[in-house]
């Protein structure tokens, strides 16, 4: 089954977790902006240095940097039969650039899965996120906590930290940017008949089943 999917929703809605399950079910790569950015930052590429500066200020990485990084990633052979995008596009210009990029390769986005959760719930979820400063492994104190509750499972002497973009002030700025820049994507994709709305506040398995149905019958992950 060939399918190209965009996961859409506010910060903390669960795009990464559910997108990874969906990608595994379909046999596609999960193309995560978080992973792409961490790789670029770790390698200290020019794009990575600029992205790090913007993230440390609690801002979303700008269109120019994200489009350049995404263009490189989607050129890899593993995306030929499909992919699940997590965290991109975040703005209408990014969506337009993505459509143009894929059109040049004879492709297009098939479905946009819009996860919806109340802002109060999202703020609560984000406050529980933690990160290992050594390996950048992500945790959440509510649903994906480390074994001892404080330290990285892979680096037991290293205490987890709140990510710079998850601090309270940064979270509030991200929501403001989301409302101004990302919500217009709902209208953009809805006008093109590709948007599917999915309630994201239920049990994880229920949300995943709803995503599979809206994506067109993606098979469940088998053990």
């Amino acid at each position: 089954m060939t399918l190209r999917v965009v996961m859409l929703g506010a910060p903390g809605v669960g795009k990464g977790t559910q997108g990874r399950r969906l990608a595994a079910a379909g046999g596609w790569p999960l193309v995560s902006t978080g992973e792409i950015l961490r790789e670029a930052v770790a390698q200290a590429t020019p794009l990575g240095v600029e992205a790090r500066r913007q993230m440390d200020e609690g801002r979303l990485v700008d269109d120019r940097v994200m489009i350049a990084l995404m263009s490189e990633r989607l050129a890899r052979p593993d995306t030929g039969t499909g992919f699940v995008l997590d965290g991109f596009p975040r703005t209408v210009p990014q969506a337009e650039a993505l459509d143009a990029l894929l059109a040049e390769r004879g492709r297009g986005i098939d479905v946009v899965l819009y996860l919806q959760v109340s802002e109060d719930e999202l703020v609560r979820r984000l406050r529980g996120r933690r990160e290992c400063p050594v390996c950048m492994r992500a945790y959440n104190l509510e649903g994906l906590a480390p074994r001892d509750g404080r330290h990285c499972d892979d680096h037991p002497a290293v205490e987890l930290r709140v990510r710079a973009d998850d601090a309270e002030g940064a979270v509030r700025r991200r929501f403001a940017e989301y409302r101004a820049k990302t919500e217009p994507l709902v209208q953009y994709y809805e006008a093109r008949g590709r948007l599917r709305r999915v309630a994201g506040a239920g049990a994880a398995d229920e949300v995943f089943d709803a995503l599979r149905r809206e994506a067109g019958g993606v098979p469940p992950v088998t053990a």
Side-chain angles (χ1 to χ4, degrees), residues 48-154:
V49 170
E50 175 60 18
R52 177 61 180 267
R53 182 183 67 80
Q54 294 177 23
M55 289 188 291
D56 285 348
E57 293 173 356
R59 297 190 289 120
L60 298 177
V61 177
D62 67 30
D63 290 348
R64 178 187 61 83
V65 173
M66 284 312 314
I67 291 167
L69 288 170
M70 190 56 61
S71 178
E72 293 176 356
R73 178 63 184 91
L74 293 182
R76 297 181 190 175
D78 64 341
T79 65
T81 59
F83 52 76
V84 177
L85 289 183
D86 166 27
F88 186 93
R90 280 179 169 158
T91 66
V92 170
Q94 286 182 7
E96 293 170 339
L98 176 62
D99 283 345
L101 174 67
L102 293 177
E104 290 176 359
R105 301 169 185 176
R107 304 174 183 176
I109 294 299
D110 297 299
V111 63
V112 177
L113 300 173
Y114 179 32
L115 276 172
Q116 296 180 288
V117 175
S118 72
E119 188 166 316
D120 286 345
E121 171 65 12
L122 292 177
V123 170
R124 185 184 66 80
R125 292 183 185 184
L126 287 171
R127 285 176 177 168
R129 296 208 302 193
R130 297 292 185 274
E131 178 183 75
C132 172
V134 174
C135 65
M136 303 301 178
R137 181 173 173 179
Y139 297 87
N140 193 296
L141 300 183
E142 294 190 20
L144 191 63
R147 284 191 291 267
D148 71 356
R150 289 183 56 199
H151 300 87
C152 180
D153 292 344
D154 298 324

Side-chain angles (χ1 to χ4, degrees), residues 36-52:
I36 292 172
L37 287 167
R38 282 190 290 273
E39 180 180 340
V41 168
Q43 294 176 354
T45 64
L47 289 172
V49 170
E50 175 60 18
R52 177 61 180 267

Side-chain angles (χ1 to χ4, degrees), residues 15-25 30 32 35 84 86 221:
K15 298 186 297 293
T17 300
Q18 295 293 354
R20 192 172 299 281
R21 293 183 68 178
L22 194 68
L30 176 72
S32 164
E35 292 177 5
V84 177
D86 166 27
V221 178

